[in-house]
Amino acid sequence: MEQLNTPAAPPRPAPKSNVASSGQQVAGSVAKRLSNELMTLMMSASPGISAFPKHDGNLFEWAGTIEGPSETVYAGLTFKISIMFPSNYPYVPPSIKFDTPCFHPNVDIASGQICLDILQDKWSAVYSVQTILLSLQSLLGEPNNASPLNSEAAGLWSDPSAFKNNVLRHYRAVSEPSS
Amino acid sequence: MATDAMKSQVAAKWQEAFQRLNGDSPGISGLMKFSEAWAISVQFLYPWDISSVPVDVDGRPYGEILYIGKDLEAARPAFNVVNRSKKLPALLETFLDDVRKNFYLVENEITQYMARYEEHQSTDEIRGLISRLVEWYRAWAPPPDLGAAVFQSYTLNFQTRLFSALPPSFTGGFKNLCATLLSPPSAEDAIVAVWRDFDILGLIERYETIIASVGYEYIEEYVLRTCTGEWGKPMLDDLRIWMSEKVVPWLLHVYARGATTPDEARTMLQGVGSRFDFHINKTLCDLRTREIFDVIIDYPDSMGALQDLRDCMQRVDQRADLVAALRKQNQKRLLNPGADTKLILQQYVSTIKCLRIVDPPGVLLFKVADPIRRYLRDRPDTIRSIVANLVGDDDDENGESLVDDVDAVPIQQHDFDDYSDPNWEPEPIDAGPEFRANKPSDVISTLVSIYDSKDLFVKELQVLLAQRLLMITKDGSDRVEKERKNIEILKIRFGESALQVCEVMLRDMTDSKRINTHVQAQKSSRLQPTIISRHFWPALESSDLVMPGQFHKLQEDYAHEFNVFKPDKKLKWLPHLGTVQLELELEDRKVQADVPPLEAAFIELFSDKPVWTLDELIVAVGSVNRSAAIKALSTWVDLGVLKEDPENTFNLLEKAEEGQSAAAAARERDTAKLVAPIADIPALSGTQLQQAEQMRVYWKFIEGMLTNLGGLPLDRIQTMLKFAPGYDKTIEQLASFLEAARREGHLVVRDGVWRLNPGHEA
C-alpha cells in the first residue's frame, strides 16, 4: 500500500496559508502546533474559557477570555488575558497576563502578572492553551496563598465579603476594543 | 394731375405696345388679327370636359372638332401670331388659369373612382382612375408647337393640382395596386402600361417611399413564409435567387425605367438593389433572432439557420439584439426552477456550439453565457450533473451526452494574452471589459470553468465514484474495470494528481477482492466485504446499525480472519451499505429476496420471536432512523412475510395469509418484487452535508474570535478564518453565513461590525 502514504493532493504552492507566513523557518512547526491547539480549543466546548489569535497571520499572540467560576467571588465577571507564545514554544511556557485588573492573591493588580507554577518551573510541553486556561480558571477559585503576588488580597481571602468588595472595586468590565 | 411729359410718355408706351400687336398692318387690322389669333389659341388650349366628347387614345376628340375649336391646323397660325407678338407667357398664364378653373372636372372623377374603390376595395378602380387621369392629362396637354417650356409648366401644374386633389385613401389603394403588380396576374404588357401611366402622372417620384415599402413588405412576407421554422439548410442563397427572379423585374419598372441597355439598368439598380438585399438580410436576421432559442434546441439540425444568421450578421449589425433576445428567452424558458439541471446544461452546451458558429471570437457567447453560468452556479446539483455526465452515468442511454468530443484534452484554465503571438487579433469591438477570448476550448473546460476551481469537481467525482463502486455487488469486476477506464480518461482532463484519491478507491476495490479471496481460503464465509481505506473515501454516512444474530457472527468471524491476515489493520463494519441475499424458510413456503441490510436484520430478529413492536425492533438493531425502520418493515409486509397488527406491532406470518384477497396479495407481491430488490443508492454524505459540517467548524472559530476580540468587521473575520484549516469560502459566502447566524439570533451587527449576541444563549 505504498500509495496510501503519498499525499492525496499534490503539494500546492501555498501563498494563501497565512499561518506560516510570519516568516521564521523554525516557527513553522511551532505555528503548526499552535494551529492545532487552536483547532482543538475551538472544537472543545469548555465553558467559560476561550482564546483566539489577536491578528491574522500571527499565531504567537492570542487574546483569551476567562469567566469567573460560579460559586466564587469572581462569579459573573469576565477577565481578558493576553497570551504571548515564545518562538521555542512548547519547550518554554507562554507568558500570560491579565488585561482586566484582577484582585487576586496570585495576580499583580497593576501589571497583570500571574504567579502560577505550571507557567513557570512546572511547565511541560504536554500542556496546551486549553490546560493553561482551565488552570487559570480554577486558580481564580483556589488561590495559592503561600506565594502571593498581591499580599493584600492574600490577607483578605479569608473574608469573602471584603475580598469581593475589593474585587469589584478593581474590576472594570471588559471594554470592547474601539473599532 | 398728369403733366405733359407724363402724357407723352404714356402715349409713347401706348404706341409701342400698339405697334407690337398691330405690326406693320394698316389701321388696326393687325390688332384685329391678333385678337382673333388669341381667341383661337385660348379656345384651342381650353381644358375641356373629355367626358362630353369621345376621344381617341391620344386625347384628341373626333367628330365635332371645329365645334370645340380643337383643329391644330387652324390653331397653328394663331399660335404663330401670338408668339410673334411675344404674348406666349400671357397665353400660358391664361391657359393655366383655365386649367385651374376646370380642374373640378378631374376632381369630380377622382371622387367618383375613390368612392367606388372605398366601397369595393378593388385595385381595378385605382387602375381605372389612373388610366382616366392619364386621359385627362393628355387631352389637356398643349401641343408641342408651343415649346417644351410650356409643356413642362403644364405638367408641373397638372401634377401639383392632381396630388393635392388625391384623397388620403388613394395612398393605400396605390400601395395595393403596386403590390398586385409584384405578383402579377396580368400580362407583362399591361404591367408596362401601368408603370408608364404612373410615370406620366409623376406618381413614381411622388410615392417612391410607398413603392419601396411595398417591396419591403413583399420581401418580409416571403421571408417569413418560406423561412420560419426552416432551419435545416441555409436560406439566404435561395432568397437571393428568388429576389433576382421576382423582385428585380419589378424593381426595373420603378427604378430603371429610363434604362436602354441592361448595363445601364444594372447601374441604376445598384443602390436600390443593395437596399433590398439588406432588407432580406435584416428580415431573416430578425426572424432567426426571434427563433434563436428553438434553433439552439434543435442543434445540430439547425445548422442552416445558424449559417444564415452568421452571414446576415455580417451585413446587419444586430448582435446586441441577438444577445438581448437570447438572454430574455433563456431567462424565461431556461433559467427557472422548472427546468432540469441536465437540460440547462445541455442547452448551455448547445448554446456554446451554436454561438461559436455565429460568432467565432465568442463575444456573443460570453454575453449570453454569463447569466446561465451564474444560474448554474447557484444550482446545488450542477456539479453532480456535470460529473455524472463526465463519467457517463446517464440512466437513459439515448440521452445525448454533453461530452461528444472524443479527444480528451486537459482542462484549460483561462490563459492570458500572448503578446508575442504573431497571429494576435484585437478583441472584437463589442467585447466587454471582462471578456476573455477563450480560444476555442472544449466544452468540458467551459463547463468546469463555471466554478472557480476544478477541485469541486474532483470532490464530487470522488463521491460519485464511491457511490458507484459501493453499488457493485460481488461479481462486478468488469464494472470496476469500466470505472477505471473512466478515471483514466478523466485523468487526462483533470491531471494525474487530482484523481489520485480515485485511484486509491479503485485500488481498494481490487485489493479487497484479493483479501477476500485470501480470507475465504482460510475460512469460507458467506460475507463478501468491500474493504476500503476510510481516509481516501468520501465521508460515508455513518449508522448505528448493529447486525443481530447470525449476521453478527459472520462479521466477527470474518474480522477475526482478516486480523490474522493483516494484524495491523482493523475492520470497521459499515453494515448499512451492503445488500443481503436471503432465503427465508417459513412453515409453508420459502421466500427469496435481495434486500438492504436493515431489512435482513429485522427479519433475523423475527426468527427468535414472532411478534415485535416497532420500538423493540429499533432498539434491537442499535438505533436507526424510525422512518427507515418503517420502510424496511413495509418491505416485508409487502412481501407477505410480516403483518402489522395492531399498529406498530409486527407479526411473522408463518403461514401465508389467506384472509386478504388473493388477487391483492398477488398484486402486492408483484410490486414488491419490483421494489424490494432495488437497493438504495449507498448513503453517502454528499458534498452538501460535508459543507454543513465544515461550516459548523468555522462557526466555532467565528465564535472564538468574537468572544476574545470583541466585534470585528466582515473582512477581518474573513482573514482571521484563515486560521481554520481548509477554509476556502469567499467573503460573499461568509457574509451570507453571518447573515444567517444573525437571523437566528447568534450575532448582531452594527456599522458593519459583527458581535456575538450577548442576550443569546446558544
Side-chain angles (χ1 to χ4, degrees), chain B residues 296-313:
Chain B
I296 291 174
I297 289 179
D298 265 24
Y299 180 86
D301 294 336
S302 54
M303 276 301 282
L306 293 166
Q307 281 165 13
D308 276 348
L309 196 54
R310 180 195 57 204
D311 295 344
C312 291
M313 286 287 188

Side-chain angles (χ1 to χ4, degrees), chain B residues 451-516:
Chain B
Y451 296 87
D452 292 332
S453 78
K454 59 184 184 184
D455 296 355
L456 286 169
F457 283 87
V458 174
K459 268 189 198 145
E460 193 64 45
L461 198 63
Q462 286 164 13
V463 172
L464 207 73
L465 182 69
Q467 248 173 31
R468 291 157 66 85
L469 289 178
L470 289 180
M471 292 243 294
I472 296 173
T473 44
K474 58 182 177 185
D475 25 71
S477 51
D478 51 330
R479 283 185 57 192
V480 177
E481 275 318 298
K482 194 170 149 247
E483 298 299 338
R484 187 180 300 282
K485 213 178 92 198
N486 267 334
I487 294 297
E488 288 300 327
I489 295 172
L490 290 174
K491 264 191 201 166
I492 305 175
R493 290 190 177 281
F494 288 96
E496 187 94 20
S497 50
L499 293 185
Q500 205 142 27
V501 173
C502 296
E503 190 77 355
V504 174
M505 285 159 64
L506 285 168
R507 208 190 151 90
D508 274 354
M509 293 306 286
T510 41
D511 278 353
S512 60
K513 206 173 168 64
R514 194 166 49 80
I515 294 168
N516 189 34

Side-chain angles (χ1 to χ4, degrees), chain A residues 16-150:
Chain A
K16 275 190 203 160
S17 68
N18 291 332
V19 174
S21 68
S22 46
Q24 310 93 317
Q25 289 288 326
V26 284
S29 63
V30 184
K32 195 163 188 304
R33 153 116 187 190
L34 286 172
S35 160
N36 280 338
E37 282 195 22
L38 178 62
M39 182 72 186
T40 318
L41 184 64
M42 287 298 111
M43 296 318 289
S44 73
S46 317
I49 58 162
S50 172
F52 205 83
K54 278 184 182 169
H55 310 286
D56 48 292
N58 183 0
L59 269 167
F60 290 79
E61 250 181 82
W62 291 24
T65 310
I66 298 174
E67 286 173 21
S70 55
E71 295 170 15
T72 68
V73 288
Y74 300 100
L77 304 181
T78 306
F79 294 92
K80 291 272 169 195
I81 59 172
S82 29
I83 311 170
M84 304 277 286
F85 294 94
S87 59
N88 48 357
Y89 180 83
Y91 305 109
V92 176
S95 54
I96 299 183
K97 67 183 186 66
F98 274 87
D99 288 342
T100 315
C102 179
F103 186 77
H104 185 278
N106 303 107
V107 177
D108 183 54
I109 192 78
S111 66
Q113 298 282 335
I114 302 164
C115 178
L116 180 63
D117 50 359
I118 66 159
L119 289 178
Q120 282 135 18
D121 47 338
K122 295 271 177 58
W123 170 254
S124 152
V126 300
Y127 293 141
S128 68
V129 180
Q130 194 178 2
T131 50
I132 293 169
L133 289 172
L134 284 171
S135 307
L136 282 176
Q137 197 181 26
S138 58
L139 182 72
L140 286 179
E142 298 154 17
N144 178 5
N145 284 321
S147 60
L149 268 180
N150 183 339

Side-chain angles (χ1 to χ4, degrees), chain B residues 221-475:
Chain B
E221 189 267 335
Y222 181 81
V223 169
L224 291 184
R225 184 157 46 83
T226 52
C227 300
T228 306
E230 291 289 327
W231 304 326
K233 61 184 178 83
M235 301 299 287
L236 203 54
D237 289 341
D238 289 357
L239 286 177
R240 291 212 165 105
I241 293 169
W242 168 82
M243 160 117 167
S244 60
E245 279 173 0
K246 296 278 178 187
V247 185
V248 169
W250 181 83
L251 287 177
L252 281 172
H253 292 301
V254 188
Y255 295 100
R257 49 189 185 276
T260 47
T261 63
D263 273 346
E264 201 179 334
R266 198 165 301 134
T267 344
M268 291 171 83
L269 273 183
Q270 221 157 40
V272 66
S274 79
R275 274 216 306 280
F276 276 84
D277 186 57
F278 176 86
H279 199 74
I280 287 186
N281 278 294
K282 179 166 161 50
T283 312
L284 189 60
C285 193
D286 285 348
L287 175 68
R288 293 292 183 243
T289 302
R290 279 197 300 279
E291 295 174 330
I292 184 69
F293 190 80
D294 296 297
V295 169
I296 291 174
I297 289 179
D298 265 24
Y299 180 86
D301 294 336
S302 54
M303 276 301 282
L306 293 166
Q307 281 165 13
D308 276 348
L309 196 54
R310 180 195 57 204
D311 295 344
C312 291
M313 286 287 188
Q314 277 162 10
R315 284 218 56 189
V316 189
D317 186 25
Q318 304 250 46
R319 293 160 65 94
D321 291 350
L322 181 72
V323 169
L326 190 50
R327 281 177 75 138
K328 201 170 149 212
Q329 293 259 315
N330 278 338
Q331 207 60 45
K332 193 171 142 208
R333 295 177 61 180
L334 191 64
L335 307 182
N336 58 51
D340 196 32
T341 305
K342 206 178 139 205
L343 285 179
I344 300 180
L345 281 170
Q346 227 155 47
Q347 181 74 356
Y348 177 40
V349 170
S350 295
T351 307
I352 293 172
K353 290 177 178 164
C354 290
L355 292 187
R356 283 232 184 95
I357 295 172
V358 177
D359 170 52
V363 178
L364 296 186
L365 176 62
F366 183 83
K367 290 183 174 171
V368 172
D370 198 44
I372 306 181
R373 293 166 67 88
R374 254 185 287 132
Y375 184 82
L376 281 173
R377 218 172 293 160
D378 291 343
R379 278 224 168 186
D381 56 341
T382 302
I383 296 187
R384 181 160 287 237
S385 296
I386 297 174
V387 172
N389 218 295
L390 281 178
V391 297
D393 192 29
D394 287 333
D395 297 333
D396 46 337
E397 286 301 316
N398 49 1
E400 204 180 324
S401 173
L402 299 178
V403 192
D404 49 11
D405 6 82
V406 184
D407 305 325
V409 286
I411 300 280
Q412 301 156 349
Q413 307 283 24
H414 61 248
D415 40 42
F416 296 95
D417 279 346
D418 176 10
Y419 293 107
S420 58
D421 181 6
N423 298 321
W424 181 86
E425 279 180 31
E427 286 171 357
I429 44 166
D430 53 347
E434 307 100 56
F435 175 72
R436 287 266 164 277
N438 45 352
K439 304 283 180 282
S441 56
D442 69 325
V443 171
I444 294 294
S445 303
T446 315
L447 287 179
V448 170
S449 71
I450 292 177
Y451 296 87
D452 292 332
S453 78
K454 59 184 184 184
D455 296 355
L456 286 169
F457 283 87
V458 174
K459 268 189 198 145
E460 193 64 45
L461 198 63
Q462 286 164 13
V463 172
L464 207 73
L465 182 69
Q467 248 173 31
R468 291 157 66 85
L469 289 178
L470 289 180
M471 292 243 294
I472 296 173
T473 44
K474 58 182 177 185
D475 25 71

Side-chain angles (χ1 to χ4, degrees), chain B residues 41-42 118 128 136 197 204 239 288 300 381 415 445 455 519 693:
Chain B
S41 301
V42 170
E118 270 159 40
W136 282 102
D197 289 355
I204 291 182
L239 286 177
R288 293 292 183 243
D381 56 341
D415 40 42
S445 303
D455 296 355
V519 173
E693 177 61 21

Side-chain angles (χ1 to χ4, degrees), chain B residues 686-697:
Chain B
T687 32
Q688 259 184 314
L689 272 175
Q690 292 178 28
Q691 272 176 2
E693 177 61 21
Q694 272 183 349
M695 280 328 278
R696 207 175 64 78
V697 174

